[in-house]
Amino acid sequence: MPFINSKISVKMTKEQETELKNFLGEAIRTIPGKSESWLMLGFEDEYKLYFRGDASQPMAFVEVSVYGGENKQAFDALTAQICEAFNKILGIAPDHVYVKYEAVSNWGWNGGNF
């Protein structure tokens, strides 16, 4: 039950969105027990972001929510992959990407909770 929401300061083309979607669908496997079959993604491009009081550089804030416990080692590895992808696909420098993780113990789906 992972959800990855990306707030991105630049405009994304449909091709970039598809490439990022495909990349994140593979990268989520970095977290044990997670796969694209349960992954939900959200992209908010042209989002107003400021870093160090400046909005002149491309940047992104990525939120990764997962059902279950924390896995620091997997989260570290996923952060590296996310930063690499956002740099390669959108030209956002890794030092302008924040990634927030949240392990969720209650997750609702299909009229009930896990």
Side-chain angles (χ1 to χ4, degrees):
M1 306 271 152
F3 174 60
I4 301 175
N5 191 44
S6 302
K7 296 175 180 177
I8 303 159
S9 68
V10 297
K11 181 164 182 55
M12 292 173 52
T13 66
K14 190 63 176 166
E15 292 78 19
Q16 289 171 319
E17 183 177 321
T18 299
E19 189 175 358
L20 202 51
K21 175 198 73 76
N22 292 338
F23 180 89
L24 293 172
E26 288 294 319
I28 198 63
R29 293 178 182 191
T30 303
I31 301 174
K34 306 304 178 195
S35 69
E36 187 177 25
S37 63
W38 286 98
L39 177 62
M40 183 178 282
L41 296 168
F43 297 108
E44 301 176 63
D45 66 345
E46 296 186 291
Y47 195 87
K48 302 253 188 262
L49 290 170
Y50 291 82
F51 184 54
R52 299 180 179 136
D54 182 26
S56 66
Q57 300 295 313
M59 62 191 84
F61 179 69
V62 182
E63 298 171 287
V64 181
S65 300
V66 294
Y67 176 70
E70 294 184 9
N71 184 325
K72 185 171 176 11
Q73 184 177 9
F75 291 175
D76 284 345
L78 184 55
T79 296
Q81 292 178 50
I82 288 171
C83 288
E84 177 185 335
F86 276 67
N87 187 25
K88 178 184 168 201
I89 298 166
L90 299 174
I92 300 174
D95 67 347
H96 279 69
V97 177
Y98 273 1
V99 183
K100 173 189 166 194
Y101 290 90
E102 182 177 16
V104 180
S105 59
N106 294 290
W107 200 287
W109 173 72
N110 197 25
N113 287 338
F114 288 93

